[in-house]
Amino acid sequence: MTPRLHRLPAVVDARGFCDPTAPAWLAQGPIPSVFEFARTCGVTGRLIAGDGAATNARVAAILYLGGGLFDGPGAERARFGVLLRVRGRLPPAAYRFEVPLASFPALADVPIHRLVPGRARALRANHYFLVR
């Protein structure tokens, strides 16, 4: 599957509008690197709620949060974020995130956060998650 090109840059500086202390996702197994997450930009994946309801979510960009971008997995603070374009609003919960790329694993228990409406309009995306 070839990702569709989009107008957002692949990396967005999120300092000042994204809460770096919000709950972040940390896998129990191997964690994809920031480069592997960047390969998903433009790809539409699925967020699956605990009850099995699925919602399409396009990966819009990687969120730069400051100097920890290349820290090892499991750092105390979030290393980077993933900006998502989702139709409508998602209730706050942890979701399973699946991207249709063979080399990208499904992510379990990903806490999804809403962007502030003004930022959502400017970035043409409305949700995000952080990666530790």
Side-chain angles (χ1 to χ4, degrees):
M1 171 180 210
T2 303
R4 287 179 44 192
L5 296 176
H6 53 87
R7 294 177 189 208
L8 279 178
V11 178
V12 173
D13 189 345
R15 292 174 294 179
F17 77 83
C18 182
D19 180 5
T21 63
W25 175 77
L26 177 63
Q28 299 303 316
I31 299 174
S33 71
V34 68
F35 300 109
E36 290 168 305
F37 273 100
R39 287 189 47 232
T40 67
C41 286
V43 175
T44 299
R46 293 172 5 129
L47 289 169
I48 302 168
D51 65 0
T55 303
N56 287 341
R58 178 179 302 274
V59 178
I62 301 302
L63 298 172
Y64 175 71
L65 302 173
L69 185 64
F70 299 111
D71 288 351
E76 271 188 46
R77 63 189 177 122
R79 298 180 294 142
F80 60 91
V82 179
L83 185 63
L84 301 172
R85 185 175 308 136
V86 178
R87 282 204 180 174
R89 291 184 182 180
L90 292 174
Y95 293 82
R96 178 176 173 82
F97 185 53
E98 297 176 350
V99 176
L101 295 175
S103 63
F104 197 85
L107 311 179
D109 299 322
V110 179
I112 302 296
H113 309 286
R114 274 192 47 221
L115 280 177
V116 177
R119 288 285 181 192
R121 279 190 298 277
L123 294 171
R124 291 173 303 162
N126 53 0
H127 291 80
Y128 69 97
F129 67 91
L130 302 176
V131 178
R132 274 194 17 210

